[in-house]
Amino acid sequence: MDNRQAIGSWISGPRAAAEDMGVEFGYRGQQLGLPETGPGSIARPGRRFAALFLDWALCMLIAFGLLSGGRAQSASNWALVVFAVLSVLTVGTVGFTPGKRLLGLRVVAEGGGRISLPRVVLRTVLLVVVIPAVVWDRDGRGLHDRLSRAVQVRI
């Protein structure tokens, strides 16, 4: 192995190095029995971030207009509360937030079907804490989804 291959594997990460050695990881969601593409497949990170951005913008608007009395500093604090309530109510009842619905995403249980209310609350609390949401597994699910046994899929 020359130095260029060693540097390339280090920069590319452990997954690329393992794939170069012949390890087959499959596609995202294969271990969960989900299709590779189309409806029911694992949602891509770009769509999930965009949905989160839309939901956060909506929550900021609600907090600024209704709860903070027009003060921008307290609006961001109230937006976190609004985001948590919005997430529990909408994901717990219909399976998606407004941002997720606009981008064609849904939160389902690992085995399919609706996620239960206690798991929605756990998922929301972990999402509000943020750190579990930025730790991903190889299927692209955040730790908040993994611990609550949920999957974000395309509709």
Side-chain angles (χ1 to χ4, degrees), residues 82-92 96-97 120 123-124 127:
V82 172
F83 180 80
V85 170
L86 175 81
S87 183
V88 168
L89 290 178
T90 57
V91 173
F96 46 76
T97 60
V120 169
R123 180 183 184 279
T124 301
L127 186 60

Side-chain angles (χ1 to χ4, degrees), residues 4 13 27 35 38-39 43 54 58-60 108 116 118 124 129 144:
R4 288 175 296 180
Y27 61 86
L54 289 173
L58 176 65
C59 292
M60 282 293 287
V108 296
S116 67
T124 301
V129 173
H144 66 294

Side-chain angles (χ1 to χ4, degrees), residues 47-108:
R47 271 192 186 186
R48 293 185 358 221
F49 283 132
L52 182 64
F53 177 77
L54 289 173
D55 289 334
W56 185 253
L58 176 65
C59 292
M60 282 293 287
L61 187 65
I62 291 170
F64 185 76
L66 300 177
L67 301 171
S68 72
R71 293 185 311 270
Q73 178 60 33
S74 66
S76 62
N77 295 333
W78 279 109
L80 194 59
V81 173
V82 172
F83 180 80
V85 170
L86 175 81
S87 183
V88 168
L89 290 178
T90 57
V91 173
T93 56
V94 292
F96 46 76
T97 60
K100 286 184 188 350
R101 180 64 184 123
L102 285 173
L103 293 173
L105 304 177
R106 184 180 197 118
V107 179
V108 296

Side-chain angles (χ1 to χ4, degrees), residues 28 34-44 151-155:
R28 291 178 183 209
L34 300 174
E36 186 173 2
T37 58
S41 65
I42 294 260
R44 295 286 179 193
V151 182
Q152 291 187 56
V153 297
R154 294 175 52 195
I155 298 177

